[in-house]
Amino acid sequence: FATLLPVLLLYILALGILFGVRPHHEFLQALPQVVEVFVLAALPGLLFVGAFSIACPAFIWPPLYQFLFIGYWFWGNLLSPSFRVPTLSVTILTPIGSYIYAGIFRSDTLVVSAKEASALQGSESILLLLGLAVLAIVSVQGYLNLQRRRQ
């Protein structure tokens, strides 16, 4: 919920601005698309990050995880390939949804153009993010159950 709330509030704010500057019929036409973009592009990454934010502190010291999380966010999402540092930002694993936006919605992003991404890659990104989120939660649950049995 902590990862979802800020993004959800930004989407609601954007909807409020859209409602204020566009005729109401245009707003109503855009509303399903905004919901679709949120569900397909933002939600998988948020669930991925949220799952790892629940799972990782079970294994490492929480302040260290928080520090690493912030570094990961910039390295894995916003670092341009022009820095010549290996990064997830140009892969389907980036939680910011670059391949989802570029592949499915045909919209250029900071690191991936719509010409470079296919709808299949966008779909693979969604499935990979959701699958790894489930794996993280299942793994930490198994680890915690094992810890309880040992006590």
Side-chain angles (χ1 to χ4, degrees), residues 92 97-107 112-126:
I92 62 172
S98 297
Y99 271 89
I100 300 166
Y101 287 110
I104 294 176
F105 297 106
R106 309 308 305 156
S107 177
V112 180
S113 79
K115 294 175 191 170
E116 299 170 347
S118 68
L120 179 62
Q121 289 172 312
S123 300
E124 289 171 341
S125 181
I126 292 170

Side-chain angles (χ1 to χ4, degrees), residues 5-126:
L5 187 61
V7 176
L8 188 59
L9 290 176
L10 284 174
Y11 266 80
I12 291 170
L13 176 65
L15 278 174
I17 292 170
L18 185 64
F19 183 77
V21 299
R22 294 284 186 195
H24 297 309
H25 71 279
E26 286 183 15
F27 172 79
L28 292 175
Q29 288 174 340
L31 192 58
Q33 293 171 331
V34 171
V35 171
E36 179 184 27
V37 168
F38 181 79
V39 169
L40 291 178
L43 199 54
L46 291 170
L47 292 173
F48 172 80
V49 169
F52 277 86
S53 292
I54 290 169
C56 288
F59 301 101
I60 63 175
W61 184 45
L64 176 61
Y65 170 73
Q66 292 165 347
F67 174 78
L68 293 173
F69 174 79
I70 291 180
Y72 159 76
W73 188 255
F74 289 104
W75 169 75
N77 289 300
L78 303 174
L79 188 65
S80 169
S82 64
F83 281 101
R84 298 187 191 269
V85 173
T87 178
L88 295 174
S89 67
V90 291
T91 70
I92 62 172
L93 188 54
T94 181
I96 205 167
S98 297
Y99 271 89
I100 300 166
Y101 287 110
I104 294 176
F105 297 106
R106 309 308 305 156
S107 177
D108 290 340
T109 67
L110 291 174
V111 293
V112 180
S113 79
K115 294 175 191 170
E116 299 170 347
S118 68
L120 179 62
Q121 289 172 312
S123 300
E124 289 171 341
S125 181
I126 292 170

